[in-house]
mmCIF file of all heavy atoms in Angstrom:
data_model
loop_
_atom_site.group_PDB
_atom_site.id
_atom_site.type_symbol
_atom_site.label_atom_id
_atom_site.label_comp_id
_atom_site.label_asym_id
_atom_site.label_seq_id
_atom_site.Cartn_x
_atom_site.Cartn_y
_atom_site.Cartn_z
ATOM 1 N N LEU A 22 132.013 185.210 148.301
ATOM 2 C CA LEU A 22 131.978 184.243 147.193
ATOM 3 C C LEU A 22 132.222 182.851 147.809
ATOM 4 O O LEU A 22 132.996 182.695 148.749
ATOM 5 C CB LEU A 22 133.058 184.628 146.247
ATOM 6 C CG LEU A 22 132.909 185.852 145.395
ATOM 7 C CD1 LEU A 22 134.090 186.027 144.421
ATOM 8 C CD2 LEU A 22 131.577 185.903 144.649
ATOM 9 N N ILE A 23 131.563 181.801 147.188
ATOM 10 C CA ILE A 23 131.760 180.422 147.566
ATOM 11 C C ILE A 23 132.554 179.766 146.451
ATOM 12 O O ILE A 23 132.078 179.828 145.298
ATOM 13 C CB ILE A 23 130.468 179.748 147.796
ATOM 14 C CG1 ILE A 23 129.650 180.410 148.889
ATOM 15 C CG2 ILE A 23 130.682 178.274 148.196
ATOM 16 C CD1 ILE A 23 128.237 179.876 149.014
ATOM 17 N N PRO A 24 133.728 179.232 146.679
ATOM 18 C CA PRO A 24 134.515 178.605 145.614
ATOM 19 C C PRO A 24 133.802 177.462 144.946
ATOM 20 O O PRO A 24 133.086 176.696 145.598
ATOM 21 C CB PRO A 24 135.847 178.119 146.307
ATOM 22 C CG PRO A 24 135.828 178.955 147.559
ATOM 23 C CD PRO A 24 134.480 179.187 147.898
ATOM 24 N N ASP A 25 134.036 177.292 143.651
ATOM 25 C CA ASP A 25 133.347 176.188 142.867
ATOM 26 C C ASP A 25 133.736 174.894 143.602
ATOM 27 O O ASP A 25 132.907 173.905 143.529
ATOM 28 C CB ASP A 25 133.914 176.168 141.491
ATOM 29 C CG ASP A 25 132.798 176.795 140.495
ATOM 30 O OD1 ASP A 25 131.817 177.240 140.984
ATOM 31 O OD2 ASP A 25 133.068 176.596 139.331
ATOM 32 N N GLU A 26 134.918 174.739 144.097
ATOM 33 C CA GLU A 26 135.417 173.568 144.712
ATOM 34 C C GLU A 26 134.372 172.954 145.802
ATOM 35 O O GLU A 26 134.210 171.842 146.021
ATOM 36 C CB GLU A 26 136.796 173.618 145.254
ATOM 37 C CG GLU A 26 137.348 172.408 146.009
ATOM 38 C CD GLU A 26 137.531 171.185 145.086
ATOM 39 O OE1 GLU A 26 137.609 171.306 143.810
ATOM 40 O OE2 GLU A 26 137.592 170.099 145.621
ATOM 41 N N VAL A 27 133.829 173.969 146.564
ATOM 42 C CA VAL A 27 132.920 173.600 147.622
ATOM 43 C C VAL A 27 131.681 172.862 147.052
ATOM 44 O O VAL A 27 131.281 171.877 147.535
ATOM 45 C CB VAL A 27 132.581 174.904 148.396
ATOM 46 C CG1 VAL A 27 131.427 174.447 149.441
ATOM 47 C CG2 VAL A 27 133.757 175.369 149.116
ATOM 48 N N PHE A 28 131.116 173.460 145.910
ATOM 49 C CA PHE A 28 130.072 172.871 145.300
ATOM 50 C C PHE A 28 130.366 171.554 144.630
ATOM 51 O O PHE A 28 129.608 170.527 144.666
ATOM 52 C CB PHE A 28 129.386 173.836 144.257
ATOM 53 C CG PHE A 28 128.930 175.090 144.852
ATOM 54 C CD1 PHE A 28 129.476 176.303 144.585
ATOM 55 C CD2 PHE A 28 127.776 175.124 145.643
ATOM 56 C CE1 PHE A 28 129.034 177.485 145.131
ATOM 57 C CE2 PHE A 28 127.325 176.235 146.226
ATOM 58 C CZ PHE A 28 127.926 177.476 145.990
ATOM 59 N N PHE A 29 131.559 171.407 144.130
ATOM 60 C CA PHE A 29 131.995 170.204 143.447
ATOM 61 C C PHE A 29 132.064 169.055 144.497
ATOM 62 O O PHE A 29 131.683 167.998 144.229
ATOM 63 C CB PHE A 29 133.361 170.378 142.864
ATOM 64 C CG PHE A 29 133.877 169.269 142.093
ATOM 65 C CD1 PHE A 29 133.510 169.109 140.740
ATOM 66 C CD2 PHE A 29 134.714 168.363 142.672
ATOM 67 C CE1 PHE A 29 133.959 167.938 140.016
ATOM 68 C CE2 PHE A 29 135.204 167.252 141.911
ATOM 69 C CZ PHE A 29 134.788 167.103 140.592
ATOM 70 N N ARG A 30 132.482 169.439 145.736
ATOM 71 C CA ARG A 30 132.730 168.427 146.753
ATOM 72 C C ARG A 30 131.335 168.044 147.481
ATOM 73 O O ARG A 30 131.127 166.947 147.894
ATOM 74 C CB ARG A 30 133.768 168.831 147.749
ATOM 75 C CG ARG A 30 135.214 168.857 147.153
ATOM 76 C CD ARG A 30 136.142 169.403 148.199
ATOM 77 N NE ARG A 30 136.216 168.464 149.361
ATOM 78 C CZ ARG A 30 136.782 167.278 149.437
ATOM 79 N NH1 ARG A 30 137.453 166.871 148.420
ATOM 80 N NH2 ARG A 30 136.762 166.600 150.518
ATOM 81 N N TYR A 31 130.517 169.046 147.686
ATOM 82 C CA TYR A 31 129.406 168.967 148.661
ATOM 83 C C TYR A 31 128.064 169.159 148.076
ATOM 84 O O TYR A 31 127.079 168.881 148.575
ATOM 85 C CB TYR A 31 129.583 169.843 149.811
ATOM 86 C CG TYR A 31 130.857 169.700 150.557
ATOM 87 C CD1 TYR A 31 131.907 170.641 150.456
ATOM 88 C CD2 TYR A 31 131.070 168.549 151.278
ATOM 89 C CE1 TYR A 31 133.051 170.447 151.154
ATOM 90 C CE2 TYR A 31 132.291 168.323 151.969
ATOM 91 C CZ TYR A 31 133.357 169.318 151.828
ATOM 92 O OH TYR A 31 134.504 169.065 152.472
ATOM 93 N N LEU A 32 127.988 169.573 146.818
ATOM 94 C CA LEU A 32 126.832 169.501 145.911
ATOM 95 C C LEU A 32 125.671 170.448 146.412
ATOM 96 O O LEU A 32 124.435 170.305 145.917
ATOM 97 C CB LEU A 32 126.261 168.077 145.786
ATOM 98 C CG LEU A 32 127.134 167.092 145.112
ATOM 99 C CD1 LEU A 32 126.530 165.695 145.163
ATOM 100 C CD2 LEU A 32 127.476 167.419 143.718
ATOM 101 N N GLY A 33 125.887 171.371 147.349
ATOM 102 C CA GLY A 33 124.898 172.277 147.779
ATOM 103 C C GLY A 33 124.001 171.645 148.855
ATOM 104 O O GLY A 33 124.276 170.586 149.391
ATOM 105 N N GLY A 34 122.956 172.473 149.269
ATOM 106 C CA GLY A 34 121.996 171.967 150.272
ATOM 107 C C GLY A 34 122.717 171.517 151.550
ATOM 108 O O GLY A 34 123.456 172.256 152.176
ATOM 109 N N LYS A 35 122.366 170.348 151.947
ATOM 110 C CA LYS A 35 122.985 169.772 153.213
ATOM 111 C C LYS A 35 124.494 169.694 153.178
ATOM 112 O O LYS A 35 125.135 170.014 154.140
ATOM 113 C CB LYS A 35 122.415 168.403 153.471
ATOM 114 C CG LYS A 35 123.015 167.682 154.674
ATOM 115 C CD LYS A 35 122.411 166.346 155.049
ATOM 116 C CE LYS A 35 123.179 165.694 156.212
ATOM 117 N NZ LYS A 35 122.455 164.637 156.782
ATOM 118 N N GLY A 36 124.945 169.426 151.955
ATOM 119 C CA GLY A 36 126.437 169.393 151.863
ATOM 120 C C GLY A 36 127.042 170.717 152.142
ATOM 121 O O GLY A 36 128.021 170.922 152.891
#
Side-chain angles (χ1 to χ4, degrees):
L22 297 179
I23 303 173
D25 256 10
E26 176 64 18
V27 173
F28 297 114
F29 185 83
R30 292 178 59 78
Y31 303 109
L32 299 175
K35 175 175 179 165

